Amino acid sequence: MPFWPSPISTRDVAASGVRPGWPTAQDGRIWWTEDRPDEGGRTTIVRRDADGTLHDLLRAPWSARTRVHEYGGRPYAITPGGEVVFANFKDQRLYILGDYGDPKPITAEGCRYADPLVRDGRVWCVREHHAEDGKVTRAIVSISLDAGEIHEWATGSDFYASPALSPDGRHLAYVCWNHPRMPWDGTELRVTRLPGGGAWTVKGGPAESVLAPAWKDDSSLYLVSDCSGWWNLYEVGLRGDGLRAIHAAEEEFTLPPWRLGGHPYTVLGDGRLAVLHGRGDLRLGVLDPGSGTLADLEVPYDGWDAALAAEGTSVVGIGYAPTLPRSVVSVDVASGVAGALKSDLSRLPEQALLPVPRAVESPAPAFLYPPYGPATDGTPPYVIFVHGGPTAHADTALDLEKAFLTSRGIGVLDVNYGGSTGYGRAYRERLKGQWGLVDVADTIAAARWLAAEGLADPGRIAVRGASAGGWTVMAACCRSDVFAGGVSYFGVSALAPLAAHTHDFESRYVEWLVGPEDPQVYASREPLALVGGVSCPMLLLQGLDDPVVPPEQSTAFADALSERGVPCTYLAFEGESHGFRRTETRVAALAAELAFYQQLFS
């Protein structure tokens, strides 16, 4: 079946990579970050003044992006006077930028910084140090803005997140955890008395994920915990006393903290909380912490990133919907009026070309995006999308990569396989020790469901995914013949090399996903050992500067396929890391992917 033409081009998709994020609201002004795909993928900071004027604060080649945990996170903070403190990507130093002139360095080279806040002439943040012997250490530190003097406030744990100062400045709250746990497995909320009067654990432990502390007042905090099996909001006393669920529900009130600096709720001027909650996509609501009453705001955005900011009765966040691009959105909670300040897309395709998902069970939760176009006599081809993480989830945000396919007559099924977030801790833990089994079984079952329901041509179903999703793609093609082809972006093919060479944040993740290193178990799971089962063509794409999934993971699998005579195309991109950021790379990758499907489905 020939594809029909579409006005959505590869360049249109690549141009959608502005990725607004990390909003801050202060003194009637709003700041956020934006990527610049046409400028080498650098990240700038944008300020919107009260009169609506936008200011691009960082000239090239400055880039506000931190490499803490390699995935980074919130890279900047605003001083009381409106100056910007940010981490510069090239050297990872902290700089301060006023209204005029070039940024001035605060720190020396040699460390990385993330999740900053500014109080009393100091920036408080997570510091990460990489020693020459490869050892990585982290701490909560404060750094004077004028002299760069550094003071360590919390050390000894492998990881830190979410530094928060009490209103009176006498206590520092933060989250910490140790290997081999990830932050969605088990963390501790700790408090340190300033200026050095001891520290204690308020809540959390090895089997409880406690996240996102914020001070209610000088003697109590808000936090998110999954002690009930769901990430819900709680209030607790300074010493861990008086724990109270503010609104108990079988819903999530946050997303997994892959990046540092997330704010899944924020305190409004009247003491109420603007919160995110739901299953899968998170809705925006207002929660009265006294009564526990939660009311959703009637806004056109179905989901939100876990990055809220508030000033008075206004809340700012990153909202999205199937037909609305990810946008910096300001909402007046008093009137319910919402307005987009900046969108990921400068120009939307016509509405008819934007696929609207339908929630289905396949049997795992999934979103179905039927193809758009002229009626045909036969059933259409489909591509199953497998999200990365794997502790993450597929959302319903407008995605031009999906529209690029559906507008050409190719359907999409986006699967939330076992282990996905948004459905409680028990669903996340379906993947514990079962990576390469549960995710693969759910993906294969999704393909069979499409065929059994008469939605897809059983001979024209492909599968694609990135990172951990790439692992699932390769493993599914190894274990089944239901796929016409597979596309892996920087996917994992072998476990022992991954555990040995990946970055520190995920260096013990395989222990949870599969188990302690066991050659027999690893050989029964990893795609490289099962490559003999692949009979379909594959496309592998890889960034050569990837510190998370080293390029050898893709090249080893490509070589193994070639040795067995299985058609395989391997494309490597200089200067790209874990996730492609440059316009030219994204255009080339998507063009190659479309050509691959055209060959498969013709």
Side-chain angles (χ1 to χ4, degrees):
M1 178 201 74
F3 298 132
W4 43 78
S6 167
I8 302 175
S9 69
T10 55
R11 185 155 289 276
D12 290 332
V13 179
S16 67
V18 172
R19 306 188 216 189
W22 311 117
T24 301
Q26 180 178 299
D27 298 329
R29 299 191 290 182
I30 298 169
W31 292 258
W32 63 84
T33 60
E34 287 184 12
D35 288 354
R36 294 286 187 264
D38 287 335
E39 299 178 27
R42 77 180 188 95
T43 302
T44 189
I45 299 172
V46 176
R47 188 187 74 219
R48 184 184 189 270
D49 292 342
D51 62 3
T53 305
L54 297 181
H55 303 270
D56 200 335
L57 300 183
L58 293 182
R59 299 190 302 268
W62 296 99
S63 181
R65 185 174 156 211
T66 172
R67 288 189 60 188
V68 172
H69 295 183
E70 298 300 347
Y71 292 110
R74 185 178 296 271
Y76 79 97
I78 306 301
T79 72
E83 295 175 301
V84 180
V85 174
F86 71 97
N88 183 47
F89 180 68
K90 183 178 181 179
D91 57 14
Q92 290 298 292
R93 299 169 73 181
L94 285 179
Y95 289 79
I96 188 166
L97 173 68
D99 286 336
Y100 305 99
D102 290 326
K104 298 178 180 179
I106 299 172
T107 60
E109 292 189 49
C111 290
R112 306 173 182 183
Y113 305 89
D115 200 2
L117 65 91
V118 177
R119 279 273 299 272
D120 303 324
R122 303 185 71 85
V123 55
W124 302 70
C125 58
V126 177
R127 184 190 66 189
E128 180 179 273
H129 178 254
H130 293 246
E132 291 184 2
D133 63 2
K135 184 178 181 181
V136 183
T137 55
R138 299 176 184 86
I140 301 288
V141 302
S142 66
I143 307 159
S144 63
L145 294 177
D146 54 357
E149 176 191 5
I150 298 177
H151 186 96
E152 295 181 345
W153 296 102
T155 61
S157 294
D158 293 327
F159 301 97
Y160 290 93
S162 305
L165 283 170
S166 60
D168 62 8
R170 295 176 59 190
H171 294 94
L172 170 70
Y174 52 91
V175 171
C176 58
W177 67 98
N178 290 308
H179 282 306
R181 297 192 299 275
M182 300 296 284
W184 41 85
D185 299 327
T187 63
E188 294 181 356
L189 167 59
R190 291 181 62 80
V191 167
T192 293
R193 180 186 291 121
L194 304 179
W200 58 90
T201 297
V202 175
K203 180 130 178 73
E208 178 185 1
S209 174
V210 179
L211 305 170
W215 290 90
K216 177 184 179 182
D217 50 40
D218 291 331
S219 60
S220 59
L221 299 109
Y222 297 120
L223 59 91
V224 175
S225 168
D226 69 353
C227 58
S228 70
W230 297 83
W231 272 317
N232 279 192
L233 267 166
Y234 294 82
E235 180 183 331
V236 69
L238 179 63
R239 292 281 180 175
D241 54 296
L243 181 71
R244 179 178 70 89
I246 300 174
H247 182 91
E250 291 189 348
E251 293 184 328
E252 306 281 46
F253 281 71
T254 191
L255 298 173
W258 280 98
R259 298 190 294 168
L260 293 171
H263 295 158
Y265 66 94
T266 186
V267 183
L268 298 168
D270 59 8
R272 293 181 298 165
L273 305 177
V275 303
L276 303 177
H277 70 105
R279 295 193 180 197
D281 292 323
L282 301 185
R283 304 183 302 279
L284 178 63
V286 176
L287 175 61
D288 184 329
S291 66
T293 302
L294 174 59
D296 286 343
L297 293 168
E298 297 299 323
V299 294
Y301 299 92
D302 298 334
W304 298 77
D305 294 350
L308 298 179
E311 185 174 29
T313 61
S314 293
V315 60
V316 183
I318 310 299
Y320 60 81
T323 57
L324 293 173
R326 262 190 170 84
S327 303
V328 182
V329 181
S330 177
V331 183
D332 187 315
V333 299
S335 65
V337 174
L341 309 182
K342 184 64 180 290
S343 297
D344 193 38
L345 291 170
S346 58
R347 181 180 61 85
L348 271 177
E350 61 178 281
Q351 289 286 305
L353 294 174
L354 301 179
V356 177
R358 174 165 63 93
V360 298
E361 293 286 334
S362 67
F367 296 110
L368 183 75
Y369 297 82
Y372 167 86
T376 60
D377 295 333
T379 49
Y382 260 78
V383 177
I384 293 177
F385 277 41
V386 184
H387 68 73
T391 307
H393 73 280
D395 60 35
T396 62
L398 188 156
D399 182 353
L400 281 194
E401 286 189 344
K402 294 187 178 77
F404 180 81
L405 297 177
T406 58
S407 64
R408 287 170 166 79
I410 304 172
V412 170
L413 184 70
D414 211 353
V415 180
N416 276 314
Y417 53 82
S420 300
T421 55
Y423 303 93
R425 186 173 183 118
Y427 196 75
R428 290 202 311 272
E429 293 192 339
R430 278 192 62 205
L431 205 58
K432 185 176 183 179
Q434 300 296 306
W435 196 37
L437 299 177
V438 166
D439 54 318
V440 171
D442 283 352
T443 301
I444 293 170
R448 290 176 173 153
W449 176 86
L450 279 171
E453 292 291 314
L455 296 169
D457 180 342
R460 294 189 298 163
I461 301 174
V463 59
R464 62 101 75 177
S467 189
W471 153 281
T472 303
V473 165
M474 290 186 277
C477 291
C478 290
R479 293 182 177 276
S480 172
D481 60 1
V482 302
F483 298 108
V487 179
S488 168
Y489 282 79
F490 35 90
V492 175
S493 68
L495 294 170
L498 178 73
H501 299 294
T502 194
H503 61 131
D504 184 62
F505 177 58
E506 292 183 273
S507 61
R508 306 284 293 276
Y509 195 17
V510 171
E511 292 183 28
W512 188 92
L513 290 167
V514 179
E517 184 170 353
D518 182 321
Q520 207 167 18
V521 173
Y522 281 15
S524 71
R525 302 284 183 87
E526 60 189 21
L528 190 59
L530 303 172
V531 69
V534 180
S535 58
C536 64
M538 299 202 70
L539 171 64
L540 310 180
L541 304 103
Q542 178 71 47
L544 293 180
D545 293 343
D546 191 337
V548 178
V549 178
E552 291 77 14
Q553 292 279 331
S554 290
T555 55
F557 196 71
D559 291 344
L561 289 173
S562 297
E563 288 175 6
R564 289 161 176 77
V566 178
C568 175
T569 300
Y570 171 66
L571 298 178
F573 298 94
E574 294 276 359
E576 291 288 3
S577 182
H578 199 66
F580 299 158
R581 303 176 70 90
R582 298 175 178 176
T583 296
E584 59 271 25
T585 304
R586 300 182 71 201
V587 167
L590 192 57
E593 191 174 352
L594 179 61
F596 181 74
Y597 296 141
Q598 287 173 326
Q599 288 184 319
L600 289 184
F601 299 151
S602 59

